[in-house]
Amino acid sequence: MGIKWRHWTLPVATLVLVLPAATGCEDTPGGAAAPSGAPSRSAAPSVARVCAEPPAGPVKAPAGAVTVDPAVVGDLAAKTLSSPAHTTFWLRPGTHRLKPDRYAQVIPKQGNHYLGAPGAVLDGRKTNQYAFSGAAEDVTIRYLTVRGFVAPPDEGVVNHDSADGWVIEHAAIRNNSGAGLMAGARQQVRASCLRGNGQYGMNAYKGTGRITGLVVEGNEIVGNNTDDWERRRKGCGCTGGVKFWAVDGADVRGNWVHDNRGTGLWADTNNNDFRIEDNVLEANDGAALIYETSYNAVIRDNMIRHNNWVEGRRNADRGDTFPFATVYLSESGGEPRIRARTDEIEIYGNVLEDNWSGITLWENADRFCNSPANTSSGNCTSLVRDTRTCAQPAIATAPLHADCRWRTQRVDIHDNSFVLDTSVVRCTVKCGRMAVLANYGTYPDWSPYKGEAVAEAITHKQHNRWHDNVYRGPWSFVAHDPSRELDFWQWQGEPYRQDTGSTFAPRAGG
């Protein structure tokens, strides 16, 4: 799984209204204001400053709750085991510990509630792998700090087994290895701090079954991937503030996703029906958002700024000409045959300010079901049930010729503001590009997508369009393939006809 950017040769929270900081949890001066003529907004998105200002839990045990004593090692796990389902547990102030065994963990029963008193912490002491696990549904965890657990890579500390219906609210899940949190169907993660975890803040992955109805709202997701897994496993696509896998229906709103090593939000492989709105995506080392081999989304009213400075500059410095983007759609598009709240990918009402480049729509001609160039190995599109059918001679004819590949199509980018001040980003070239492109198809030798067919389709035939946007700063545009870099008037003219109704002020960004 994961992503390759280039040509293949062979992947209800309470919010505090403040201006977003540039890094960490400290206030710093903001960037330039949105230009006149920018998308109409009632207010900038709110910042979920929950890591610096966590709400306190109940100071007394609720009626009928089982009290958990931090002085008794393993008390939480033992009382969970001995109590019936639907029990409420109140953790006293202090540091709670599990038994000193790597597999010691809390295994909730259905409908259990876990409430932390002010100052209640569950500490894995770099010994225990998992905090909360098992298949029980409808578990709630509130007002509790979970830290110091050492989950293996690709595994999680809280809801380790991706059980359904969990609610994580007003929690702090921080300084753990692996993922701080896994996800199941109908999971709600609200007003929580996912901070400084080794791989992901949350890994929305379910080994069996499908994640539906996921809500991620009002959280601060900051400083994750401390173990830098992309360096350990080059090209693994296994990091991010949040990584989503095969999620069918997600509302991601009102979050502050910032200062993560790598990508902020990354949806990878057959996700569908996302609404990503009213977030502040800021100062992530890589892209603010990647939507990869997935379908049908609305991305609106987000503040996206100061992202991709590290990875964008790194690639430019090594001479890579690919338009590395802050919002990156890779083999993803609208598909009316897949049920969702929209049948396109619509990107509108966003402010993108002083990022390394803007939006790139990309389709890898060599990446399709059954191809060795498909990094989501073993996976096929949501339109094909049997990957084995994507082979010659059938793949060369309808419907498999279209359905065996993830297509970047039906993407509508409008009423956004793109602001670039190169003195802020500290760059002179390759940092202000918008792009729609594909590579020249070459691989494998039985591929029916060789040559320029995919590049022609994504550029001219798949209903991808920009219109009614505002540009300030020295933007350029890439179409068809990386060698075709255009100015604004070429981009608007024949044969591309992009950005009808848009305005362009090349020196206004700085």
Side-chain angles (χ1 to χ4, degrees):
M1 297 181 182
I3 198 165
K4 294 288 186 184
W5 294 82
R6 302 168 54 197
H7 171 66
W8 292 88
T9 56
L10 286 182
V12 178
T14 300
L15 303 180
V16 182
L17 297 177
V18 293
L19 288 175
T23 57
C25 295
E26 303 298 325
D27 289 323
T28 58
S36 58
S40 175
R41 311 167 60 101
S42 58
S46 303
V47 166
R49 193 178 293 276
V50 292
C51 293
E53 302 172 4
V59 297
K60 295 181 179 179
V66 172
T67 296
V68 182
D69 187 350
V72 179
V73 174
D75 197 38
L76 179 60
K79 287 179 174 174
T80 296
L81 181 63
S82 62
S83 300
H86 303 283
T87 296
T88 295
F89 300 88
W90 179 70
L91 285 74
R92 289 183 181 275
T95 300
H96 297 255
R97 296 164 292 165
L98 302 173
K99 291 184 177 180
D101 179 278
R102 64 189 296 188
Y103 296 116
Q105 57 199 277
V106 182
I107 304 178
K109 296 174 182 175
Q110 183 167 359
N112 281 0
H113 290 250
Y114 296 88
L115 300 176
V121 175
L122 180 60
D123 193 343
R125 296 173 297 165
K126 301 297 181 183
T127 299
N128 310 115
Q129 290 190 345
Y130 316 120
F132 294 91
S133 63
E137 298 185 3
D138 303 324
V139 172
T140 298
I141 299 171
R142 288 191 172 100
Y143 303 109
L144 181 63
T145 294
V146 179
R147 72 185 185 200
F149 288 81
V150 285
D154 303 321
E155 297 185 40
V157 169
V158 175
N159 196 12
H160 169 265
D161 297 295
S162 302
D164 296 339
W166 284 41
V167 175
I168 316 297
E169 191 169 34
H170 302 302
I173 304 173
R174 59 184 179 86
N175 304 112
N176 304 286
S177 298
L181 177 63
M182 301 297 285
R186 300 179 287 104
Q187 182 158 301
Q188 299 179 41
V189 185
R190 300 179 185 272
S192 292
C193 172
L194 308 180
R195 180 174 188 174
N197 297 290
Q199 189 176 11
Y200 305 102
M202 183 172 72
N203 185 15
Y205 172 80
K206 192 174 178 70
T208 58
R210 193 165 177 85
I211 298 174
T212 58
L214 179 63
V215 175
V216 182
E217 181 175 18
N219 305 285
E220 185 173 353
I221 302 164
V222 52
N224 296 289
N225 188 27
T226 59
D227 292 334
D228 198 3
W229 278 98
E230 297 291 339
R231 179 178 295 177
R232 292 188 179 193
R233 298 179 181 173
K234 189 174 178 59
C236 70
C238 61
T239 57
V242 180
K243 191 76 185 277
F244 304 90
W245 308 88
V247 174
D248 191 4
D251 291 298
V252 183
R253 58 180 174 251
N255 303 284
W256 185 19
V257 183
H258 66 103
D259 294 280
N260 294 284
R261 176 176 282 168
T263 302
L265 301 174
W266 190 343
D268 185 357
T269 310
N270 290 338
N271 296 276
N272 176 52
D273 195 15
F274 270 55
R275 286 193 176 176
I276 301 170
E277 57 190 0
D278 296 314
N279 301 284
V280 177
L281 309 177
E282 180 173 29
N284 298 288
D285 284 0
L289 171 64
I290 297 176
Y291 206 68
E292 178 183 4
T293 55
S294 295
Y295 304 95
N296 300 329
V298 174
I299 302 165
R300 64 186 178 193
D301 297 337
N302 300 285
M303 170 61 77
I304 303 171
R305 68 180 190 179
H306 297 183
N307 296 282
N308 203 28
W309 289 9
V310 173
E311 294 187 6
R313 180 171 286 106
R314 179 188 303 146
N315 287 294
D317 287 348
R318 73 185 187 191
D320 199 319
T321 60
F322 189 88
F324 292 92
T326 287
V327 175
Y328 181 59
L329 272 61
S330 176
E331 295 92 18
S332 293
E335 177 49 74
R337 291 174 291 173
I338 298 175
R339 186 174 180 179
R341 290 167 287 183
T342 181
D343 61 2
E344 62 181 0
I345 293 181
E346 189 176 14
I347 304 174
Y348 71 94
N350 304 285
V351 175
L352 284 82
E353 181 180 286
D354 294 332
N355 301 284
W356 191 282
S357 287
I359 299 174
T360 287
L361 309 187
W362 160 253
E363 193 169 329
N364 183 351
D366 299 331
R367 186 180 189 182
F368 52 91
C369 304
N370 241 358
S371 169
N374 177 21
T375 52
S376 298
S377 56
N379 289 279
C380 196
T381 71
S382 295
L383 300 171
V384 176
R385 291 187 177 182
D386 187 350
T387 303
R388 294 172 298 179
T389 63
C390 293
Q392 290 287 5
I395 194 173
T397 60
L400 292 179
H401 186 267
D403 291 353
C404 286
R405 64 177 303 109
W406 294 271
R407 292 188 295 170
T408 303
Q409 63 178 9
R410 297 173 60 84
V411 180
D412 190 6
I413 302 168
H414 65 94
D415 294 288
N416 303 283
S417 176
F418 300 106
V419 179
L420 176 64
D421 185 338
T422 55
S423 69
V424 173
V425 183
R426 300 191 305 278
C427 72
T428 55
V429 295
K430 298 183 180 177
C431 60
R433 293 183 290 177
M434 211 72 60
V436 53
L437 76 165
N439 57 309
Y440 190 89
T442 62
Y443 183 81
D445 58 7
W446 53 270
S447 169
Y449 311 110
K450 290 183 177 180
E452 296 185 347
V454 174
E456 285 291 310
I458 190 176
T459 305
H460 301 297
K461 302 175 183 178
Q462 292 180 181
H463 308 289
N464 299 313
R465 69 184 191 123
W466 282 252
H467 62 97
D468 298 297
N469 299 294
V470 172
Y471 293 89
R472 299 188 68 177
W475 290 93
S476 62
F477 305 84
V478 178
H480 191 274
D481 62 74
S483 69
R484 298 190 189 182
E485 189 155 339
L486 314 171
D487 62 29
F488 183 68
W489 295 273
Q490 292 170 319
W491 175 248
Q492 280 194 319
E494 295 290 344
Y496 307 107
R497 300 191 303 275
Q498 293 290 2
D499 266 314
T500 301
S502 298
T503 61
F504 181 61
R507 286 181 292 278

